[in-house]
């Protein structure tokens, strides 16, 4: 398996100008920001560098299904696969996902809590400079407590999964004693997980150059911290790069970075803080029996700093609604209105519509997830922003209650193109989107103003108008950038989203993703012209057949990633049913 992964990594790197042995200077390989845990300031770093570096948030943990052998969320540890060769679709998806991370200007890739897949990720990106994002355990525990993240994000189950891996054949000699399978209380489990992830990261980076970015230091001196990062990466960071402070009225501020922090305060009672620190340190001490002292010293240095926090007795917090209270708005029926010679659909595609398509394609023999690859949509838990969920008993897709009229996100280009074909429409080109949005009203929902995507109905817009022409979500485009034809196919993204800036410069910025990529800030907008009408729509069976045939043909030798991608594009955009 490792040889297989190294082969994929080397082939992708070569497509982007990295023959074996080439150094990091002037590289197009992405910068890899690895956190010792979650809540270490990775969103602050991402937003601070956004103007100069395209962003990828946890592509391995989010984009690869937990059934993919290389996914950090895999329930089966990689070593237990017996070195099985990746299947055709698994290999294609992994290679495309890797290719998507390369570029000029260099991209930023954030990953946290990789645990036992850390060495796998570093193997896949051998030329990437590494930033290690650290934070003291008390600070992380405070952030978890404020957001009730342990229960919301299912960390009890996560601990159990990581503990199983620690007891597996490959890892048990070094890590079995560090993660007992004893169903520990939250502060104990959190302290253990913090230490184990830091140890695994230190172990994987032993001998590989990296730069440490301390959360505590960036709170105390954000400008100085950014300046040091800019020097290390040899990039220019505009003076306005730091996320601006805006209204704190967002319904869910879990992922917001628009609140400036200038103090180190932990909302924890003293006993909880002591227990988290105690069990993190105890785990490091037990590791001395099995791990190299330099690895333990490195992890201990990353986890230092509890004493810098002022403990503040937590107060009861009222639960916020999942989104701001608002009057129920009637969603207009889908209709198309001409904007600069192209007919634009009045609303973004809703979760309800996406659920219907996913259910019909599943019934037609095309399940969304195959061979660890999410073809149409990345299914995330509701607390991680997922609004669409497959019910295996009913064999249908369901929408989180109250989100039926919200726009669908986490949709891949394949899912967007399938929706367009099913609807007798197409996706807009980037040029059409640029043309249509000249002089458009400012985005209603951007820059974390709401904290999530809002209804497809834009306040102040009527039934005969196009809603959220910019804002709420970015959209997939029909076309993509010109590039080496052997590289993985990409398609443009356009506009502003609830979690991106809403300036004209940001809206028009050139950005693109691979066909199977997805994000919480990207959705689907449909357009029509004289060649696309309701009569040209394809049925679910036809769409399923086309995609399944493409999957079956992935094993044909000597086809480049680009050629395989173009075959999929043709399958989804060619009009008319085939005999």
């Amino acid at each position: 398996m490792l040889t297989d992964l190294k082969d994929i990594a080397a082939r992708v790197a070569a497509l982007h100008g990295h023959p074996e042995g080439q150094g990091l200077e002037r590289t197009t390989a992405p910068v890899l920001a690895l956190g010792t845990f979650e809540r270490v300031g990775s969103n602050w770093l991402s937003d601070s560098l956004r103007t100069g570096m395209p962003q990828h948030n946890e592509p391995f943990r989010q984009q690869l299904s937990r059934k993919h052998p290389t996914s950090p969320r895999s329930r089966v540890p990689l070593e237990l696969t017996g070195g099985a060769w990746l299947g055709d679709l698994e290999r294609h998806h992994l290679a495309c996902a890797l290719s998507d991370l390369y570029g000029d200007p260099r991209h930023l890739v954030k990953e946290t809590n990789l645990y036992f897949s850390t060495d796998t990720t570093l193997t896949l990106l051998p030329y990437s400079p590494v930033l290690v994002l650290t934070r003291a355990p008390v600070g992380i525990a405070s952030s978890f407590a404020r957001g009730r993240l342990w229960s919301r994000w299912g960390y009890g189950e996560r601990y159990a999964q990581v503990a199983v891996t620690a007891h597996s054949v490959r890892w048990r000699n070094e890590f079995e004693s560090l993660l007992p399978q004893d169903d520990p209380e939250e502060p104990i489990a959190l302290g253990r997980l913090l230490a184990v992830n830091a140890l695994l990261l230190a172990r994987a980076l032993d001998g590989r150059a990296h730069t440490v970015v301390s959360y505590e230091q960036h709170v105390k001196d954000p400008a100085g911290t950014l300046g040091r990062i800019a020097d290390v990466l040899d990039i220019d960071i505009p003076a306005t790069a730091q996320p601006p402070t805006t209204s704190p009225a967002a319904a869910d501020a879990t992922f917001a970075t628009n609140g400036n922090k200038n103090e180190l305060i932990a909302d924890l009672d003293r006993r909880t803080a002591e227990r988290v620190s105690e069990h993190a340190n105890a785990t490091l001490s037990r590791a001395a029996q099995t791990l190299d002292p330099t690895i333990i010293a490195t992890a201990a240095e990353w986890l230092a700093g509890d004493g810098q926090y002022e403990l503040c007795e937590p107060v009861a917090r009222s639960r916020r609604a999942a989104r701001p209270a608002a009057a129920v708005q009637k969603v207009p029926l889908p209709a198309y209105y001409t904007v600069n010679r192209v007919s634009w659909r009045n609303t973004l595609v809703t979760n309800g519509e996406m659920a219907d398509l996913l259910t019909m394609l599943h019934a037609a023999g095309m399940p969304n997830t195959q061979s660890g690859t999410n073809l149409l949509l990345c299914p995330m838990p509701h607390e991680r922003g997922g609004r669409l969920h497959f019910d295996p008993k009913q064999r249908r897709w369901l929408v989180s209650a109250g989100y039926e009229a919200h726009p669908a996100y986490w949709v891949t280009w394949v899912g967007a193109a399938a929706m367009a074909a099913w609807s007798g429409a197409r996706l807009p080109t980037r040029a059409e989107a640029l043309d249509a949005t000249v002089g458009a009203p400012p985005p209603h929902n951007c820059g974390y103003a709401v904290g999530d995507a809002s209804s497809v109905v834009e306040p102040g817009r009527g039934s005969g108008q196009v809603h959220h022409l910019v804002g709420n979500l970015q959209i997939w485009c029909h076309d993509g950038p010109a590039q080496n034809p052997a590289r993985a196919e990409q398609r443009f993204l356009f506009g502003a989203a609830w979690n991106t800036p809403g300036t004209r410069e940001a809206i028009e910025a050139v950005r693109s993703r691979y066909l199977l990529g997805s994000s919480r800030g990207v959705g689907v907008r449909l357009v029509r012209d004289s060649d696309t009408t309701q009569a040209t729509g394809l049925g679910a069976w036809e769409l399923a057949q086309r995609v399944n045939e493409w999957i079956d043909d992935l094993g044909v030798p000597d086809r480049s990633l680009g050629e395989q991608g173009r075959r999929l594009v043709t399958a989804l955009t060619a009009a008319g049913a085939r005999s």
Side-chain angles (χ1 to χ4, degrees):
M1 173 66 77
L2 193 57
T3 302
D4 194 20
L5 296 184
K6 286 183 176 179
D7 175 63
I8 292 174
R11 289 174 181 270
V12 170
L15 284 175
H16 293 270
H18 291 270
E20 187 173 355
Q22 181 173 320
L24 295 176
E25 295 79 7
R26 301 298 175 184
T27 179
T28 60
V31 174
L32 189 55
L34 300 178
T36 54
F37 211 71
E38 299 199 73
R39 317 308 288 176
V40 293
S42 62
N43 287 345
W44 168 84
L45 176 70
S46 178
D47 282 358
S48 296
L49 301 181
R50 188 182 300 278
T51 56
M53 301 182 75
Q55 309 288 308
H56 301 268
N57 184 38
E58 299 181 336
F60 295 101
R61 190 164 74 165
Q62 293 183 357
Q63 304 300 322
L64 300 177
S65 161
R66 68 170 65 237
K67 294 184 179 180
H68 196 285
T70 62
S71 170
R73 299 185 298 125
S74 175
R75 295 184 185 276
V76 180
L78 186 61
E79 75 279 10
L80 298 184
T81 63
W85 206 256
L86 290 174
D88 293 331
L89 182 56
E90 291 168 333
R91 171 182 281 267
H92 174 80
H93 184 199
L94 181 59
C96 289
L98 276 179
S99 183
D100 194 51
L101 306 180
Y102 284 77
D104 185 12
R106 212 158 43 181
H107 295 201
L108 176 70
V109 175
K110 298 187 311 175
E111 285 285 355
T112 57
N113 283 8
L114 289 172
Y115 296 111
F116 293 98
S117 64
T118 303
D119 55 351
T120 300
T121 300
L122 289 168
T123 296
L124 291 169
L125 293 168
Y127 301 107
S128 287
V130 178
L131 302 177
V132 177
L133 310 182
T134 71
R135 188 178 185 182
V138 163
I140 293 173
S142 173
S143 184
F144 264 63
R146 282 197 305 271
R148 304 182 180 92
L149 302 184
W150 185 268
S151 58
R152 287 177 58 194
W153 290 354
Y155 260 87
E157 179 185 357
R158 186 65 168 142
Y159 179 92
Q161 177 192 346
V162 177
V164 167
T165 308
H167 288 69
S168 64
V169 174
R170 177 180 174 187
W171 299 103
R172 64 188 179 194
N173 289 340
E174 294 175 305
F175 289 93
E176 184 178 43
S177 64
L178 306 187
L179 289 174
Q181 296 173 298
D182 55 357
D183 191 23
E185 296 177 16
E186 177 181 336
I188 299 173
L190 181 57
R192 290 174 181 172
L193 288 176
L194 283 164
V196 166
N197 195 60
L199 287 165
L200 286 163
L201 184 54
R203 180 182 181 275
L205 285 173
D206 190 29
R208 180 162 171 171
H210 58 274
T211 300
V212 176
V213 180
S214 159
Y215 178 94
E216 290 76 21
Q217 187 59 39
H218 101 239
V219 169
K220 294 177 179 178
D221 182 17
T225 303
L226 279 178
R228 187 164 64 90
I229 293 170
D231 290 341
V232 168
L233 301 180
D234 191 23
I235 59 175
D236 294 323
I237 300 179
T240 57
Q242 294 188 51
T245 300
T246 60
S247 169
D252 183 356
T254 302
F255 301 102
T257 60
N258 53 11
N260 290 336
K261 300 179 178 69
N262 52 26
E263 294 180 299
L264 296 173
I265 297 176
D267 293 331
L268 291 175
D269 62 80
R270 185 166 300 280
R271 179 55 182 152
T272 299
E274 288 174 347
R275 294 179 79 193
V276 172
S277 296
E278 173 190 345
H279 287 278
N281 291 328
T283 302
L284 293 177
S285 296
R286 286 195 299 274
Q289 302 173 24
T290 57
L291 294 175
D292 188 282
T294 59
I295 293 174
I296 298 170
T298 298
E301 182 180 346
W302 292 346
L303 297 178
D306 280 346
Q308 299 183 55
Y309 284 82
E310 175 186 349
L311 295 182
C312 181
E313 193 74 19
V315 296
R317 296 172 180 266
S318 59
R319 292 183 178 271
R320 285 179 170 176
R323 54 194 182 281
V328 176
Q329 295 173 302
K330 182 179 180 180
V331 178
L333 293 174
Y336 291 79
Y337 300 99
T338 301
V339 181
N340 292 347
R341 300 179 301 280
V342 177
S343 295
W344 288 71
R345 208 183 91 152
N346 53 348
T347 61
L348 294 161
V349 169
T350 66
N351 285 316
E353 292 173 297
M354 199 70 205
D356 289 342
L357 175 60
L358 289 166
T359 296
M360 295 185 71
L361 288 173
H362 186 91
M366 182 190 157
N368 175 64
T369 303
Q370 300 185 41
S371 300
T373 298
N374 299 316
L375 295 167
L376 306 160
L377 175 129
C378 182
M380 299 289 285
H382 178 83
E383 292 294 352
R384 291 279 189 172
R387 306 294 180 241
L388 289 156
H389 318 280
F390 182 69
D391 185 328
K393 293 183 179 180
Q394 299 185 53
R395 300 180 63 82
R396 62 189 292 259
W397 284 79
L398 306 175
V399 181
S400 294
Y403 288 87
E404 294 82 0
H406 283 227
Y409 47 41
W410 290 117
V411 181
T412 68
W413 183 89
V414 176
M419 173 60 73
W422 187 56
S423 304
R426 63 174 174 82
L427 303 178
T429 66
R430 171 175 161 78
E432 289 169 341
L434 276 168
D435 193 34
T437 57
V438 171
H444 172 72
N445 182 16
C446 63
Y448 297 102
V450 176
D452 195 359
S454 55
S455 167
V456 296
V457 178
E458 182 177 359
R461 306 291 284 178
S463 59
Q465 295 176 294
V466 178
H467 295 244
H468 294 295
L469 190 57
V470 289
N472 215 11
L473 291 180
Q474 296 176 354
I475 58 172
W476 280 109
C477 293
H478 173 79
D479 55 338
Q483 59 179 18
N484 178 343
R487 295 179 184 173
E489 279 289 293
Q490 295 190 336
R491 287 298 178 263
F492 288 123
L493 307 175
F494 183 84
W498 64 272
N499 57 351
T500 67
T503 64
R504 192 65 203 176
E505 180 183 16
I507 291 170
E508 296 181 357
V510 179
R511 59 183 75 84
S512 58
R513 295 294 306 276
Y514 73 116
L515 304 182
L516 292 170
S518 62
S519 141
R520 193 178 174 182
V522 178
V524 187
R525 171 80 71 179
L526 305 179
V527 298
R528 281 180 175 168
D529 54 28
S530 58
D531 295 323
T532 50
T533 65
Q534 190 66 42
T536 65
L538 299 179
W541 185 89
E542 173 71 18
L543 283 169
Q545 183 184 34
R546 292 187 182 196
V547 175
N548 287 335
E549 287 178 355
W550 171 78
I551 293 172
D552 292 340
D553 286 344
L554 284 175
V556 175
D558 301 325
R559 280 184 184 156
S560 68
L561 292 177
E563 183 179 356
Q564 289 171 331
R566 288 186 290 276
R567 290 172 62 86
L568 179 56
V569 170
T570 298
L572 290 170
T573 57
R578 297 169 300 181
S579 58

